[in-house]
């Protein structure tokens, strides 16, 4: 017997939380929301710079809607939150992209500070990573050290450029300042991971759905 599926927001066809003139589905989290959950979230916006971040984010979305690239959006966002020193946590495979971004930041009166993923040159096997993983490079990525060095540099905002899946998770966890992402790595699609979603029902269908009858 197939396990009963739990429906969540991805199964919604109305999006009434946005449009407000439709109906909510029976499983909608909005209609089942506990009062203390809503209140807890609202109270968090009064912590630190969270409210300032939310307002700046909404303003950037509005002012640059379908006009500004992500590079431009990051710079406008940085200006709104008075971030001058911009940390760059980049993959060594995207060093050229990081250099271009740093050049753009400097040209716009920001101070970029980059720490590359292979910083310290720690071997993979020294951390218990299987030896076969060194066949694509002996040095491990070090996202926790990247975060620490950017913390010590007192950056105002950190930007991720192409950190690996999982390595980015560790960087986000240990960064002491807010983080946004400029580039999400996807070696197969030229760093355009959404391409796999757009072709999930065509070219990538057999890869993503091994048992289409189920």
């Amino acid at each position: 017997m197939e396990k009963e599926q739990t429906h969540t927001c991805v199964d919604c066809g109305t999006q009434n939380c946005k449009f407000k003139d439709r109906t909510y589905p029976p499983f909608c989290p909005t209609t089942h929301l506990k009062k203390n959950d809503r209140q807890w979230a609202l109270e968090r916006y009064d912590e630190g710079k969270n409210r300032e971040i939310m307002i700046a984010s909404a303003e950037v979305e509005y002012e640059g809607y379908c006009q500004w690239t992500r590079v431009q959006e990051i710079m406008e966002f940085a200006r709104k939150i008075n971030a001058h020193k911009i940390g760059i946590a980049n993959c060594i495979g995207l060093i050229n992209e990081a250099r271009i971004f740093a050049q753009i930041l400097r040209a716009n009166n920001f101070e970029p500070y980059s720490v590359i993923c292979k910083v310290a040159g720690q071997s993979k096997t020294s951390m218990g990573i299987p030896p076969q993983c060194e066949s694509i490079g002996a040095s491990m990525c070090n996202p926790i050290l990247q975060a620490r060095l950017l913390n010590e540099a007192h950056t105002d905002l950190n930007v991720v450029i192409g950190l690996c899946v999982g390595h980015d998770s560790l960087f986000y966890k240990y960064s002491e300042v807010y983080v946004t992402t400029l580039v999400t790595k996807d070696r197969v699609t030229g760093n355009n991971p959404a391409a796999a979603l757009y072709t999930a029902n065509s070219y990538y269908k057999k890869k993503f759905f091994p048992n289409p009858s189920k």
Side-chain angles (χ1 to χ4, degrees), residues 56-88:
S57 302
E59 290 177 345
V60 167
E61 179 189 16
Y62 164 72
E63 293 168 12
Y65 200 77
C66 293
Q67 299 180 67
W68 294 342
T69 64
R70 181 115 182 158
V71 170
Q72 185 70 36
E73 286 184 331
I74 289 173
M75 291 193 294
E76 299 298 337
F77 173 71
R79 291 189 180 102
K80 287 180 180 292
I81 64 170
N82 296 313
H84 173 70
K85 192 171 187 177
I86 310 298
I88 302 174

Side-chain angles (χ1 to χ4, degrees), residues 129-148:
I129 297 172
Q132 60 266 31
C133 294
E134 291 194 345
S135 65
I136 57 171
S139 296
M140 65 178 245
C141 294
N142 206 332
I144 295 178
L145 183 55
Q146 281 180 289
R148 181 176 176 85

Side-chain angles (χ1 to χ4, degrees), residues 91-110:
C91 167
I92 198 166
L94 282 85
I95 183 62
N96 289 331
E97 291 85 344
R99 284 172 177 155
I100 294 169
F101 183 54
Q103 291 169 0
I104 293 170
L105 290 175
R106 290 189 179 110
N108 285 272
N109 300 314
F110 292 100

